[in-house]
């Protein structure tokens, strides 16, 4: 009896909404229960499904340009309620000519009235449904649906409780997924598009930012609806292009159809990014105009010339909001935690809520077929497998458990196991090791990590040809934010490591006729480390103790592939046992050696060695490095103009050995990333004191857009101006090699100043630099990695 009563109280009505004149389905028709906040929309085939809690109920079906229809549903009404809407005559009403643009007058009223009712809107609760349908050029490859209770507070923002989830069996998704958080409210002042904050069409400053044009009028029953075209007033500023429909009497948005303007450009390898947004609003008979739905279509193409090409990536999104409760008390517990989405485990256990009729927007026929045919073997990686020479070379279509040559152990269920095993090859070439090959391996067992490495160099003789070592580390803290570790290593290492170049880049430079950027020495010893990450401050602290024997190494080869001049000798160091302690504090982003992305990070480091530690060396070094990105012009664009700054400085006390000098990087042949002196070729400046300031301002594609050179802007060519200013000072310690032996360090006699201009984005991944030195007659042309983000 209880089950029968519940079935009668929660009846689901299905049907199709069509054009009475043509019989064609009307997608996104608005179906509401009169006098309530309950409603839904039709799918692409005009089909709707709506759960009714009480009978009788009156359905109101609306579609702009058609007469609204009402249908009363009782317990005796058949399950299918099809509705045909009569079209109204589209006509352009007479417009009174005034000094003011009529569209601007209408939108001014829309903006003013929105500010009034938004001021009175404090909270709401709603049922949110969202569906992503992902496809490639052959058809649907995956579907993901979520059903949540959404809670919005004017001050606290949005929180959701997930009630249901359903996806094709080839999707592996997190436990907690939102629905409402995936939806952009196009009535908002600011709208996020792929991480870019665009001014909305009802922003208080929208009349200055957009050009509005009245295209015509339509009718919804006996009410006039204005169709207004929207586009940015300045072609260099980002915004939306499209149309909005405004209800005359209420001066409220009924529906919008927008897409980002052409200024919302994406850098390579994204060659195409087309997205459209559609959304409807209703006041449900009340004072507040709230989203009814959200529909978007995205198509993205990624390729790097013919080297790497991916199938088109297409996403259709449909969302629906219903059962609004406005200005009600919300649970405080939802906003007490940082999690934006929590899970109702009881409701989610069987996904029964989302599978019941009327829980969401009905699936289209192709989507129903996708659920029936897609299984777990049809992976997303297979659906978007790339083609091209680069794809074949790096074997991107290989095992999903590997990255490069890494191998990871995992469970048979596809989840990461508690034990992970990784192996990576090590390969380089220089004038001391000649060709070096080896392996690095690590084993993670819960919080414990074991590390090992070994390799052989073909150049040196005897023990110096071998490198080997190992270590152990433990993660500590409730969130594993700390670590403790000890490592032992015997290896040939660069005397002063560079933050801009690695051994692999130097190997290519040396083999192609460069003079080998680094000098080398042999190190054998132990390093004990400890560190802790302070997440709220985005800061980490590192401490270390070093105990190692340092010895000189000789050059073993001068071979290169082009038969250049013999490579210089490797200068000796002052041999001895170094025992030192070091500490560093790091703030901000993790270090990015490729420098493709802008960073905000800073680091202060100190190292001390003395007789008190039974060391053969007596010195203290102080180092400071900072990389900072500042947005300058066109800050609302997806890629605003930016100024990148790198500051570096160091000083010391005592007798600093060669292997602890400071360094200002030079250009490695024609290759010169950000943060190096581009007009200094081959070898860096070194010294026990150093200062460097590097800057570059990226104007993005704006100069080409302003000049009407759209062909260059469409290729994402960026214009950059840059400069570098640096100097080192050296007071070499007693016993150090002299200039007559090997020129161990290069120290300038004056400040080094340079400026230049770059064209970035060539071929999608390169930049060409032209630089001139201000303190001396020198200029250079170089090549670098494009800084496109």
């Amino acid at each position: 009896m209880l089950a029968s009563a519940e079935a009668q109280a929660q009846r689901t009505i299905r049907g199709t909404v069509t054009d009475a004149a043509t019989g064609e389905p009307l997608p996104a028709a608005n179906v509401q229960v009169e006098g309530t906040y309950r409603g839904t929309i039709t799918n692409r085939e005009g089909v709707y499904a709506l759960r009714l809690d009480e009978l009788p109920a009156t359905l109101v079906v609306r579609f702009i340009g058609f007469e609204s229809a009402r249908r009363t549903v009782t317990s005796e009404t058949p399950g299918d309620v099809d509705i045909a809407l009569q079209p109204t005559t589209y006509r352009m009403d007479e417009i009174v000519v005034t000094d003011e643009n009529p569209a601007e007058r209408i939108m001014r009223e829309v903006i003013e009235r929105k500010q009034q009712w938004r001021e009175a809107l404090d909270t709401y609760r709603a049922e949110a449904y969202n569906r992503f349908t992902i496809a490639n050029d052959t058809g649907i490859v995956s579907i993901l649906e979520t059903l949540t209770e959404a809670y919005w507070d004017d001050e606290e923002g949005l929180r959701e409780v997930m009630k249901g989830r359903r996806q094709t069996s080839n999707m592996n998704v997190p436990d907690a997924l939102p629905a409402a958080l995936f939806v952009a409210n196009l009535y908002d002042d600011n709208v996020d598009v792929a991480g870019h904050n665009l001014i909305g069409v009802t922003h208080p400053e929208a009349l200055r930012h957009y050009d509005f044009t009245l295209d015509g009028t339509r009718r919804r029953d006996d009410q006039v609806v204005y169709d207004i075209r929207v586009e940015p007033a300045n072609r260099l500023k980002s915004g939306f292009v499209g149309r909005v429909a405004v209800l005359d009497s209420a001066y409220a948005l009924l529906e919008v159809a927008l897409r980002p303007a052409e200024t919302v450009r994406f850098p390579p390898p994204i060659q195409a990014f087309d997205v459209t947004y559609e959304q409807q609003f209703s006041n449900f008979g009340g004072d507040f105009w709230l989203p009814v739905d959200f529909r978007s279509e995205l198509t993205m193409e990624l390729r790097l010339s013919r080297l790497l090409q991916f199938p088109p990536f297409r996403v259709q999104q449909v969302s629906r909001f219903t059962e609004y409760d406005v200005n009600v008390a919300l649970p405080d517990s939802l906003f007490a935690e940082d999690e934006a989405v929590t899970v109702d485990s009881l409701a989610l256990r069987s996904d029964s809520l989302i599978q019941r009729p009327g829980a969401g927007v009905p699936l289209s026929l192709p989507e129903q077929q996708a659920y029936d045919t897609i299984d777990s073997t049809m992976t997303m990686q297979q659906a978007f497998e790339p083609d091209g020479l680069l794809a074949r070379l790096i074997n991107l279509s290989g095992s999903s458990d590997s990255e490069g040559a890494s191998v990871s152990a995992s469970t048979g269920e596809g989840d990461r196991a508690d034990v992970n095993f990784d192996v990576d090859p090590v390969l380089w070439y220089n004038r001391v090791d000649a060709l070096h090959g080896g392996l690095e391996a690590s084993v993670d067992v819960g919080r414990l990590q074991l590390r090992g490495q070994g390799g052989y160099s073909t150049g040196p003789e005897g023990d110096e040809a071998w490198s080997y070592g190992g270590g152990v580390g433990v993660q500590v803290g409730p969130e594993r934010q700390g670590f403790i570790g000890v490592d032992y290593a015997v290896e040939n290492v660069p005397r002063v490591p560079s933050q801009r170049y690695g051994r692999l880049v130097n190997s290519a430079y040396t083999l192609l006729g460069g003079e080998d950027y680094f000098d080398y020495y042999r190190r054998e010893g132990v390093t004990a480390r400890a560190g802790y990450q302070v997440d709220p401050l985005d800061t980490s602290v590192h401490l270390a103790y070093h105990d190692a024997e340092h010895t000189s190494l000789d050059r073993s080869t001068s071979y290169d592939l082009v038969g250049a001049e013999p490579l210089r000798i490797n200068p000796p160091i002052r041999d001895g046992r170094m025992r030192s302690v070091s500490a560093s504090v790091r703030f901000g982003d993790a270090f990015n050696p490729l420098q493709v992305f802008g960073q905000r990070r800073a680091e202060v480091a100190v190292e001390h060695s003395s007789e008190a530690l039974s060391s053969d060396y007596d010195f203290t070094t102080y180092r400071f490095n900072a990389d900072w990105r500042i947005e300058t012009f066109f800050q609302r664009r997806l890629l605003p103009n930016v100024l990148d700054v790198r500051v570096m400085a160091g000083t010391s006390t005592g007798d600093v050995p060669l292997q602890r000098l400071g360094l200002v990087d030079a250009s490695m042949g024609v290759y010169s990333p950000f943060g190096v002196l581009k007009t200094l070729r081959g070898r860096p400046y070194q010294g026990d004191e150093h200062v460097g300031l590097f800057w570059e301002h990226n104007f993005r594609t704006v100069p080409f857009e302003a000049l009407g050179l759209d062909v260059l802007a469409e290729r994402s060519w960026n214009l950059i101006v840059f400069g570098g200013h640096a100097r080192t000072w050296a007071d070499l310690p007693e016993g150090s090699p002299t200039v007559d032996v090997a020129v161990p360090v290069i120290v300038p006699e004056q400040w080094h100043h340079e400026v230049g201009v770059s064209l970035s984005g060539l071929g999608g991944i390169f930049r060409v630099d032209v630089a001139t030195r201000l303190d001396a007659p020198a200029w250079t042309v170089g090549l670098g990695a494009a800084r496109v983000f």
Side-chain angles (χ1 to χ4, degrees), residues 593-635:
L594 295 179
Q595 290 294 295
V596 177
F597 302 89
Q599 294 186 292
R600 291 185 176 182
R601 64 182 302 273
E603 178 179 2
V604 177
V606 178
E607 184 179 12
H608 174 73
S609 178
S610 67
E611 293 183 1
L613 298 173
S614 300
S615 176
D616 294 334
Y617 303 88
D618 187 359
F619 68 90
T620 303
T621 60
Y622 308 88
R623 301 282 188 262
F624 172 77
N625 292 287
D627 292 274
W628 213 257
R629 164 162 288 189
I630 304 168
E631 294 184 356
T632 55
F633 312 116
F634 301 97
Q635 295 183 16

Side-chain angles (χ1 to χ4, degrees), residues 550-619:
H550 294 190
T551 56
S552 301
L553 291 169
D554 294 327
R555 178 187 64 190
S556 67
T557 182
S558 287
Y559 175 78
D560 61 58
L561 297 175
V562 298
E565 295 182 1
L567 295 170
R568 59 191 172 87
I569 68 170
N570 185 57
I573 63 169
R574 179 162 60 92
D575 294 353
R577 191 173 194 87
M578 180 181 291
R579 291 186 173 96
S580 67
V581 291
S582 64
S584 65
V585 179
R586 303 170 187 173
F587 168 80
D589 302 334
F591 178 65
N592 169 28
L594 295 179
Q595 290 294 295
V596 177
F597 302 89
Q599 294 186 292
R600 291 185 176 182
R601 64 182 302 273
E603 178 179 2
V604 177
V606 178
E607 184 179 12
H608 174 73
S609 178
S610 67
E611 293 183 1
L613 298 173
S614 300
S615 176
D616 294 334
Y617 303 88
D618 187 359
F619 68 90

Side-chain angles (χ1 to χ4, degrees), residues 268-271 301-312 384-397 763-765:
I270 300 176
Q271 298 297 324
E301 296 181 6
L302 290 83
R303 64 178 181 275
L304 286 175
S305 184
R306 296 183 178 180
L307 296 176
L308 189 66
Q309 302 175 21
F310 288 84
F384 296 100
E385 183 176 349
D387 191 15
L389 177 61
L390 186 59
R392 291 188 288 272
L393 286 176
I394 63 178
N395 193 25
L396 288 180
S397 60
I765 55 176

